[in-house]
C-alpha cells in the first residue's frame, strides 16, 4: 500500500538512456528485410489464424517500411471472443481485489523492464518522437499502478449509517464484459488505462485497438497474459472499427463500453449503445473520451517567452496529434504583434523529420487520411501563415511542417473543427474577457490554457473557462496520471476522468 508516484520520464541527456532507445530502434529496423511479425486475434489466450484480411502497419516516417501485419477479426471471432470472456467472468469477478491489483502491478513492472523496446515500437508504428513515446510508456505504467491503488479503496465496503439490529452493506460489483475501443495516438497508455481499469474492478475485457496501432496493442495484450491474466479474462480483437467495433458496441452481451477516439465515432457509439437488443440484460454504460479544439488565451502583460514556449509545445508536440493539443489561440490586442513576431520565429525554427531522429521537433502524421485532411485545410485557408522546415533527405513519409495561421476570424473553420495536425490558428481579441468567451465558444471542452500575470484574471479563468483540464501559465498538454485527472466536458467526453 505504497504512495502512488508517477514513473519518471527517461532523461535523454544521459548517454546510456539514448543508447538503449537507439538499440531498440535498430532491432526493429531488421524487419526491413521483410521479416516482420504477424499478430492475430487472441481468444482464450490462443492466436486465431484463420483471418482473411490483414492490416499492414507501415511506418509513418518511411511508408515503404512494413513493421508487421495484424489479422483482422471477423464476426465469428467476435462471437467466440465474447463467449470466452463471458465464461471467464464469474471466476474473475470472484478473485480477491488484492489479486487483481497484483496483476496490474506486475504488468507495470514488465512494461518498465521493456520500456525501451515499447518506446521504439511506438516511435516506428505511430510516428511518435522519442520523448513522447517514452511518456506514453510511463503513462501506461502509471495507469496500472494508480488504478491498482485506487482499487484497493474501491474494494473496501463503504460506510452506511449504522442502525442497531441491522447489517447494511454497500459495495461495488463489476458489470460484466467491457469493450475497450482505443485510439492510435496514445497507443499504449490509453488502451492500457481503459483495460486495466475494467479488469481491476472485476470486469472481463475485449480489447479492440485502432487499426493504426495494432502492433503496440498486441504487445500490450501479451504483457497482460505474461503477467498472469487468466486467458478468459480478456480477448484481443484487432479489426475494422466500422465492422468489429460496431459489432462489439451492438452486442447484447456487452455491458460497458470504454471508448477513446473522435467525437463522431463516440457520439455514434453513445447512440448505438442506447438501443436494447433481444436478450440484453444490461443498460449499456458508455465511458467516452473524445476530441478537442483546445484554446490558449494570452493576456495583456503575460510573460511572452513563457507563453511562446508553452504555445509551441502544446500546438506542435507530436505534430498536433494529441487530444489535448492547442489549435486555437486568442491573444490580447496590446501584445498581439509582439507575440506574433516571437511565434513566427519559433515556428520557422521547428524542424519536421523522422520520429526516430531525436534532433527534430515534429515527427510525421499518422496516415494518408490525416495527410489529405491537413493538406486540404491548409490549402483552403486564405489567411496569412508561417511555416516551419522539413529536414532534408527524408524518406517517403507523411511529413508536414509546423503551420501558424494568424489574423484568423472567430468563425473560421480553422477555429471549429478538430484537425489533428500541426496547425495553429491565432486570433486577436480586444479584452481578456473576450478571449475567454471565444475560448468557451466551442462544441468541445477538453483542455485550455491561460497565460496572464493578473491574479484577478487567473481567478476569473479558473471559474469561467469551462474545460475538463485548465492550465494556468503553462501549456495545455501533458496531463499526468493522478496529478491532472484527464477528461473533458461537452462534446469532448462524458465527464469521467482517466487517471483520477
Ligand atoms: P477514431 O474515432 O477514428 O477511432 C477510435 C477507435 O474507434 C478505433 O479503434 C476505431 O477502429 C474505432 N471505431 C471506428 N468506427 C467505429 C464504430 N462505428 N464503432 C465502434 N468503433 C469504431 O479516433 P482515432 O483517429 O483513433 O483517434 C483520434 C481521436 O481520438 C481524436 O479525435 C482525439 O482527440 C481523440 N482522443 C481523445 C482522447 C481523450 O482522452 N479525450 C485521447 C486520445 C485521443
Amino acid at each position: 500500500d505504497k504512495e502512488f508516484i508517477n514513473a519518471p520520464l527517461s532523461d535523454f541527456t544521459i548517454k546510456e538512456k539514448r543508447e538503449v532507445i537507439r538499440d531498440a530502434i535498430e532491432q526493429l529496423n531488421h524487419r526491413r528485410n521483410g521479416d516482420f511479425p504477424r499478430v492475430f486475434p487472441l481468444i482464450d489466450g490462443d492466436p486465431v489464424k484463420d483471418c482473411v484480411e490483414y492490416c499492414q502497419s507501415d511506418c509513418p516516417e518511411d511508408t515503404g517500411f512494413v513493421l508487421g501485419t495484424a489479422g483482422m477479426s471477423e464476426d465469428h471471432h467476435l462471437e467466440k471472443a465474447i463467449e470466452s470472456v463471458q465464461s471467464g467472468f464469474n471466476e474473475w469477478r470472484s478473485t480477491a481485489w488484492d489479486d487483481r491489483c497484483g496483476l496490474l502491478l506486475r504488468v507495470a513492472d514488465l512494461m518498465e523492464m521493456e520500456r525501451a523496446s515499447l518506446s521504439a515500437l511506438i516511435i516506428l508504428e505511430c510516428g511518435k518522437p522519442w520523448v513522447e513515446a517514452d511518456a506514453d510508456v510511463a503513462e501506461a505504467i502509471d495507469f496500472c499502478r494508480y488504478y491498482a491503488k485506487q482499487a484497493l479503496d474501491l474494494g473496501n465496503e463503504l460506510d452506511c449509517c449504522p442502525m442497531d439490529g441491522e447489517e447494511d452493506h454497500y459495495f461495488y460489483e463489476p458489470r460484466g464484459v467491457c469493450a475497450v475501443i482505443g485510439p492510435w495516438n496514445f497507443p499504449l497508455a490509453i488502451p492500457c488505462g481503459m483495460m486495466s481499469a475494467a479488469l481491476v474492478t472485476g470486469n472481463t475485457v475485449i480489447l479492440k485497438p485502432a487499426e493504426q496501432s495494432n502492433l503496440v496493442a498486441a504487445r500490450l495484450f501479451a504483457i497482460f497474459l505474461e503477467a498472469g491474466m487468466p486467458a478468459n479474462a480478456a480477448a484481443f480483437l484487432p479489426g475494422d472499427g466500422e465492422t468489429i467495433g460496431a459489432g462489439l458496441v451492438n452486442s447484447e452481451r456487452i455491458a460497458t463500453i470504454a471508448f477513446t477516439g473522435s467525437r463522431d465515432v463516440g457520439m455514434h457509439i453513445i447512440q448505438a449503445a442506447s438501443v436494447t437488443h433481444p436478450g440484453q440484460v444490461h443498460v449499456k454504460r458508455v465511458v467516452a473520451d473524445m476530441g478537442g479544439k483546445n484554446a490558449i488565451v494570452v493576456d495583456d502583460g503575460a510573460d511572452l517567452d513563457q507563453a511562446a514556449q508553452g504555445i509551441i509545445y502544446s500546438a506542435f508536440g507530436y505534430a498536433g496529434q494529441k487530444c489535448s493539443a492547442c489549435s486555437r489561440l486568442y491573444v490580447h490586442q496590446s501584445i498581439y504583434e509582439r507575440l506574433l513576431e516571437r511565434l513566427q520565429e519559433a515556428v520557422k525554427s521547428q524542424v519536421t523529420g523522422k520520429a526516430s531522429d531525436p534532433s527534430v521537433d515534429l515527427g510525421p502524421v499518422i496516415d494518408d487520411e490525416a495527410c489529405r485532411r491537413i493538406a486540404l485545410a491548409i490549402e483552403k485557408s486564405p489567411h496569412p501563415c508561417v511555416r516551419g522546415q522539413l529536414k532534408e533527405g527524408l524518406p517517403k513519409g507523411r511529413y508536414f511542417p509546423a503551420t501558424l495561421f494568424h489574423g484568423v476570424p472567430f468563425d473560421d473553420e480553422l477555429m471549429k473543427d478538430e484537425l489533428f495536425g500541426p496547425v495553429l490558428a491565432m486570433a486577436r481579441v480586444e479584452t481578456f474577457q473576450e478571449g475567454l468567451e471565444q475560448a468557451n465558444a466551442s462544441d468541445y471542452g477538453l483542455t485550455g490554457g491561460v497565460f496572464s500575470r493578473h491574479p484577478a484574471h487567473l481567478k476569473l479563468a479558473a471559474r469561467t473557462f469551462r474545460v475538463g483540464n485548465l492550465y494556468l501559465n503553462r501549456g495545455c498538454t501533458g496531463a499526468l496520471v493522478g496529478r491532472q485527472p484527464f477528461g473533458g466536458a461537452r462534446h469532448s467526453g462524458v465527464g469521467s476522468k482517466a487517471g483520477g
Side-chain angles (χ1 to χ4, degrees):
D1 191 20
K2 285 190 299 195
E3 196 191 336
F4 169 76
I5 298 174
N6 296 101
L9 301 179
S10 300
D11 179 355
F12 292 123
T13 61
I14 299 168
K15 188 164 165 249
E16 291 74 36
K17 294 277 179 195
R18 294 197 298 277
E19 274 169 1
V20 286
I21 296 270
R22 276 215 180 92
D23 289 351
I25 293 174
E26 212 30 61
Q27 287 286 323
L28 291 175
N29 269 326
H30 290 308
R31 296 184 184 176
R32 281 180 187 277
N33 58 17
D35 186 16
F36 51 76
R38 282 181 164 199
V39 301
F40 294 97
L42 284 169
I43 302 173
D44 282 325
D46 295 325
V48 181
K49 297 194 171 175
D50 60 350
C51 302
V52 179
E53 282 187 37
Y54 287 84
C55 174
Q56 215 167 272
S57 284
D58 61 8
C59 253
E61 67 174 38
D62 181 357
T63 48
F65 174 15
V66 178
L67 260 180
T69 62
M72 298 296 265
S73 314
E74 289 162 49
D75 287 348
H76 63 101
H77 299 132
L78 177 69
E79 288 306 312
K80 227 177 122 186
I82 296 181
E83 252 153 54
S84 163
V85 297
Q86 232 185 358
S87 76
F89 177 54
N90 270 337
E91 201 177 330
W92 183 244
R93 78 186 303 173
S94 311
T95 50
W97 284 80
D98 276 0
D99 293 342
R100 297 199 299 260
C101 293
L103 169 71
L104 265 54
L105 297 178
R106 288 192 299 280
V107 168
D109 290 347
L110 287 175
M111 288 196 288
E112 206 148 66
M113 278 160 59
E114 57 177 272
R115 187 157 171 168
S117 60
L118 284 168
S119 295
L121 192 55
I122 294 171
I123 290 167
L124 292 186
E125 189 178 29
C126 301
K128 215 170 210 194
W130 284 32
V131 172
E132 281 142 344
D134 177 68
D136 203 320
V137 184
E139 189 175 358
I141 294 168
D142 283 353
F143 276 132
C144 290
R145 295 192 176 141
Y146 184 78
Y147 289 148
K149 191 165 162 45
Q150 294 244 303
L152 287 177
D153 293 336
L154 281 182
N156 292 327
E157 290 200 3
L158 299 157
D159 289 337
C160 302
C161 290
M163 179 61 72
D164 283 345
E166 263 182 40
E167 255 188 46
D168 299 298
H169 298 274
Y170 177 12
F171 54 91
Y172 285 102
E173 281 264 86
R175 293 174 50 83
V177 180
C178 176
V180 170
I181 303 177
W184 51 264
N185 70 330
F186 281 81
L188 190 74
I190 290 181
C192 177
M194 295 193 290
M195 180 165 168
S196 56
L199 282 171
V200 81
T201 44
N203 301 280
T204 53
V205 164
I206 295 189
L207 173 63
K208 210 284 311 153
E211 296 86 321
Q212 298 91 334
S213 56
N214 283 323
L215 304 181
V216 174
R219 188 63 207 127
L220 169 71
F221 196 87
I223 290 174
F224 270 87
L225 286 171
E226 283 162 28
M229 176 181 71
N232 60 2
F236 175 60
L237 287 189
D240 180 43
E242 280 158 29
T243 55
I244 288 305
L248 266 173
V249 169
N250 291 328
S251 167
E252 76 285 0
R253 291 185 285 174
I254 298 288
T256 309
I257 299 153
F259 168 81
T260 307
S262 62
R263 165 176 64 176
D264 289 354
V265 174
M267 292 300 204
H268 176 76
I269 288 177
I270 290 168
Q271 191 181 29
S274 70
V275 178
T276 309
H277 297 277
Q280 180 177 328
V281 297
H282 299 97
V283 177
K284 286 179 196 165
R285 188 93 149 241
V286 184
V287 177
D289 283 308
M290 301 181 278
K293 187 71 196 169
N294 311 298
I296 290 181
V297 181
V298 189
D299 196 7
D300 176 23
D303 178 334
L304 296 190
D305 290 329
Q306 189 193 32
Q309 202 178 24
I311 291 162
I312 293 289
Y313 189 73
S314 303
F316 303 121
Y318 193 23
Q321 301 174 108
K322 296 181 192 172
C323 49
S324 52
C326 170
S327 54
R328 298 183 290 145
L329 182 60
Y330 299 104
V331 181
H332 195 283
Q333 37 97 11
S334 71
I335 46 141
Y336 185 90
E337 300 303 334
R338 272 190 295 148
L339 182 61
L340 176 59
E341 211 173 288
R342 280 179 211 213
L343 288 176
Q344 282 176 320
E345 291 312 309
V347 168
K348 281 192 238 160
S349 74
Q350 295 284 301
V351 180
T352 298
K354 286 160 62 169
S356 61
D357 171 357
S359 75
V360 301
D361 304 292
L362 282 77
V365 300
I366 188 74
D367 57 17
D368 293 338
E369 202 212 308
C371 286
R372 277 192 293 275
R373 188 180 63 237
I374 298 163
L376 183 69
I378 293 174
E379 211 174 279
K380 251 184 18 191
S381 180
H383 307 297
C385 89
V386 52
R387 308 195 74 180
Q389 312 160 34
L390 291 186
K391 189 157 178 167
E392 277 172 25
L394 291 172
K396 190 171 172 303
R398 304 186 177 107
Y399 298 106
F400 280 92
T403 302
L404 168 72
F405 285 98
H406 49 99
V408 180
F410 297 153
D411 59 355
D412 195 89
E413 270 174 43
L414 286 175
M415 292 293 192
K416 289 200 174 124
D417 306 324
E418 185 186 45
L419 193 54
F420 229 53
V423 179
L424 174 63
M426 178 173 176
R428 179 195 299 263
V429 288
E430 294 302 313
T431 61
F432 181 68
Q433 283 78 355
E434 186 182 32
L436 289 183
E437 272 163 35
Q438 286 307 321
N440 278 328
S442 168
D443 295 344
Y444 294 100
L446 192 51
T447 72
V450 168
F451 287 92
S452 176
R453 279 194 281 212
H454 296 301
H457 284 179
L458 292 171
K459 267 198 191 142
L460 179 72
R463 265 201 329 273
T464 62
F465 193 164
R466 308 219 182 267
V467 287
N469 289 62
L470 177 67
Y471 300 95
L472 304 179
N473 289 322
R474 55 153 278 190
C476 64
T477 61
L480 288 176
V481 170
R483 266 172 63 186
Q484 291 104 11
F486 190 77
R490 301 206 287 276
H491 288 187
S492 292
V494 294
S496 55
K497 288 284 192 181

